């Protein structure tokens, strides 16, 4: 079944309607030595919104604030029809330890800065960007709830945090009557599927919509890397390109290239591009609300949006799943075993268990 950007989905346990693909604005601005300049970024924004897209993702420190400033300028004439998501916790001022972190001072100052940069008086969705393992969860939740009550943010969410902390936060919010988390942003794609162990099941159970970032695994799933790149894997030199970033991270491995090979095979069979196939798999994964596409050029964005039209067969999905599967580990593998299922279903007698 094909989709469109205006086939809106509910975000988690809320009534907020968002497009099935979110536009990532981390590419807005060239402050980091790459990305789209103002005119090209405007083209990306218009291309997305003119097709009915309403969900745009940024953060307070993306491209040193240019991302929020450009997005705010582009969104001004249609602000009410858009769902603008931004984030806090990353360092805003080097040398000032309180300009980063999850605590209340960082939260309030970051939100005020984002409101100024976006040129708006409210933020639709605010994420805690990176778990700091320091701030008490009650402080985070109460601060977020205070901002919701002030009307400066409408919904709250979280990224890059342990599943047990997120579920704990959601439980406390429910018990205290504070604003619940409605979304969880994680890295999730055919190469990085470890979120299936706890994060995604937790999100589905606790009422959070899953918003995957890096659905193309930094470009590895587009087929741009080959076996020749394996010799450079782990190279820590940085020339400012995405390639050097991926190589330094060790994202180019034999296993990852093997997954990309299957993606290319399915793409060839379907008459699609590898990027479209990889996005279509993530887009249709259970629990996923809206993957974030971070195109830098209009051509890349058009290609990414083509994923909405991809209808993978059951056989193709099975091949992609098999090639990219990760072990779920304990206790998931144990609980999924036939023996434990029979025991818990009462199908084994005491004598058979002894044997």
């Amino acid at each position: 079944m094909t989709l469109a950007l205006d086939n809106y989905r509910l975000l988690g346990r809320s009534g907020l309607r968002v497009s099935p693909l979110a536009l990532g604005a981390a590419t807005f601005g060239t402050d980091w030595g790459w990305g789209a300049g103002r005119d090209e970024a405007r083209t990306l924004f218009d291309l997305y919104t003119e097709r009915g897209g309403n969900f745009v993702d940024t953060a307070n420190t993306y491209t040193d604030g240019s991302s929020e400033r450009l997005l705010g300028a582009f969104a001004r004439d249609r602000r009410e029809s858009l769902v603008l998501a931004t984030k806090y916790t990353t360092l805003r001022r080097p040398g000032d330890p309180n300009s980063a972190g999850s605590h209340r001072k960082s939260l309030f100052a970051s939100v005020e800065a984002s409101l100024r940069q976006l040129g708006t008086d409210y933020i639709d969705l605010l994420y805690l960007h990176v778990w700091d393992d320091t701030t008490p969860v009650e402080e985070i939740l109460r601060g977020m709830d205070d901002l919701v009550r002030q009307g400066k943010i409408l919904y709250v969410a979280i990224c890059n945090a342990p599943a047990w902390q997120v579920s704990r936060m959601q439980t406390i919010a429910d018990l205290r009557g504070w604003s619940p988390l409605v979304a969880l942003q994680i890295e999730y794609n055919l190469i990085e599927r470890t979120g299936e162990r706890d994060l995604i099941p937790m999100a589905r159970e606790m009422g959070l919509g899953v918003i995957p970032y890096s659905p193309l695994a930094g470009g590895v799933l587009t087929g741009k890397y080959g076996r020749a790149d394996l010799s450079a894997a782990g190279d820590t030199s940085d020339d400012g390109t995405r390639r050097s970033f991926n190589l330094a991270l060790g994202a180019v491995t034999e296993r990852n290239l093997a997954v990309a090979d299957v993606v290319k095979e399915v793409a060839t069979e379907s008459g699609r591009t590898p990027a479209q196939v990889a996005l279509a798999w993530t887009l249709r994964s259970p629990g996923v609300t809206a993957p974030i596409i971070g195109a830098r050029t209009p051509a890349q964005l058009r290609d990414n949006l083509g994923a909405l039209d991809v209808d993978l067969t059951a056989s193709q999905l099975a091949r992609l799943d098999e090639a990219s599967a990760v072990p779920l580990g304990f206790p998931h593998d144990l609980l999924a075993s036939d023996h434990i299922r029979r025991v818990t279903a009462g199908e084994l007698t005491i004598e058979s268990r002894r044997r």
Side-chain angles (χ1 to χ4, degrees):
M1 182 181 69
T2 60
L3 297 171
L5 287 178
D6 56 1
N7 294 146
Y8 303 114
R9 297 174 169 183
L10 291 176
L11 183 59
R13 193 172 62 194
S14 80
L16 187 64
R17 294 158 174 82
V18 297
S19 293
L21 286 175
L23 178 64
T27 57
F28 287 13
T30 58
D31 306 66
W32 290 349
W34 52 271
R38 184 184 184 91
D39 291 344
E40 197 166 36
R42 179 73 206 221
T43 300
L44 294 171
F45 176 84
D46 290 342
L47 180 61
Y48 176 77
T49 55
E50 286 168 4
R51 290 184 55 170
N54 77 337
F55 193 18
V56 189
D57 179 90
T58 186
N60 59 344
T61 55
Y62 284 170
T63 53
D64 296 335
S66 288
S67 177
E68 283 191 338
R69 287 189 290 270
L70 290 172
L71 177 57
F74 303 158
R76 192 159 296 133
D77 294 337
R78 59 180 82 192
R79 173 67 187 92
E80 193 172 348
S81 65
L82 296 174
V83 176
L84 300 185
T86 192
K87 312 175 189 76
Y88 89 102
T89 60
T90 52
L91 186 68
R92 292 180 296 112
R93 289 188 306 279
D96 179 0
N98 284 320
S99 70
S102 304
H103 54 86
R104 189 178 181 93
K105 181 175 176 64
S106 171
L107 168 61
F108 277 66
S110 293
V111 166
E112 292 297 338
S114 288
L115 291 173
R116 290 193 299 270
Q117 291 185 158
L118 288 166
T120 185
D121 54 6
Y122 69 97
I123 294 164
D124 295 288
L125 181 67
L126 179 75
Y127 290 96
L128 184 156
H129 198 168
V130 184
W131 188 252
D132 68 10
D133 203 30
T134 300
T135 309
V137 295
E138 293 85 357
E139 180 177 343
I140 298 166
L141 290 166
R142 179 57 192 267
M144 286 180 159
D145 186 67
D146 285 345
L147 287 167
V148 170
R149 292 173 187 272
Q150 293 173 19
K152 293 182 178 180
I153 56 178
L154 304 186
Y155 297 92
V156 296
I158 193 165
C159 313
N160 305 310
W164 69 273
Q165 288 284 21
V166 178
S167 59
R168 177 177 172 230
M169 292 174 73
Q170 193 74 319
T171 301
I172 291 172
D174 286 345
L175 289 172
R176 297 284 181 87
W178 292 338
S179 300
L181 302 167
V182 300
L184 171 71
Q185 192 172 132
I186 60 171
E187 182 177 359
Y188 184 57
N189 52 59
L190 276 163
I191 285 175
E192 176 50 77
R193 292 180 58 184
T194 55
E196 294 174 9
R197 293 171 178 160
D198 291 296
L199 285 163
I200 293 176
M202 177 276 302
R204 297 179 71 180
E205 183 72 19
M206 303 299 289
L208 288 81
V210 176
I211 309 298
Y213 67 82
S214 196
L216 299 179
V220 176
L221 291 170
T222 66
K224 66 170 61 176
Y225 298 94
R227 275 17 182 224
D229 293 302
L230 289 173
S231 60
D235 182 359
T236 57
S237 61
D238 185 4
D239 60 5
T241 65
R242 187 65 192 233
R243 179 181 182 277
S244 66
F245 181 71
N246 282 330
L247 292 176
L249 284 179
V252 182
T253 66
E254 181 60 47
R255 181 259 181 188
N256 293 353
L257 291 177
V259 174
D261 285 344
V262 178
V263 172
K264 286 187 282 187
E265 292 170 7
V266 172
T268 300
E269 294 171 5
S270 308
R272 297 289 184 170
T273 66
Q276 290 171 345
V277 168
L279 276 168
W281 179 89
T282 306
L283 179 64
R284 288 161 174 77
S285 296
V288 167
T289 300
I292 300 170
I293 48 178
R296 189 187 60 78
T297 68
Q300 289 174 342
L301 180 56
R302 291 187 186 95
D303 180 75
N304 288 178
L305 293 178
L308 294 165
D309 302 323
V310 176
D311 196 6
L312 298 171
T313 68
S315 174
Q316 290 170 336
L317 285 169
R319 284 159 56 197
L320 291 167
D321 286 341
E322 182 179 0
S324 62
V326 295
L328 296 183
F330 181 85
H332 311 292
D333 290 337
L334 172 68
L335 298 178
S337 69
D338 289 340
H339 177 77
I340 293 298
R341 286 187 178 278
R342 290 196 301 272
V343 169
T344 56
E347 296 173 12
L348 292 183
T349 65
I350 293 175
E351 288 301 316
S352 63
R353 286 201 296 270
R354 286 174 179 167
R355 291 196 296 269

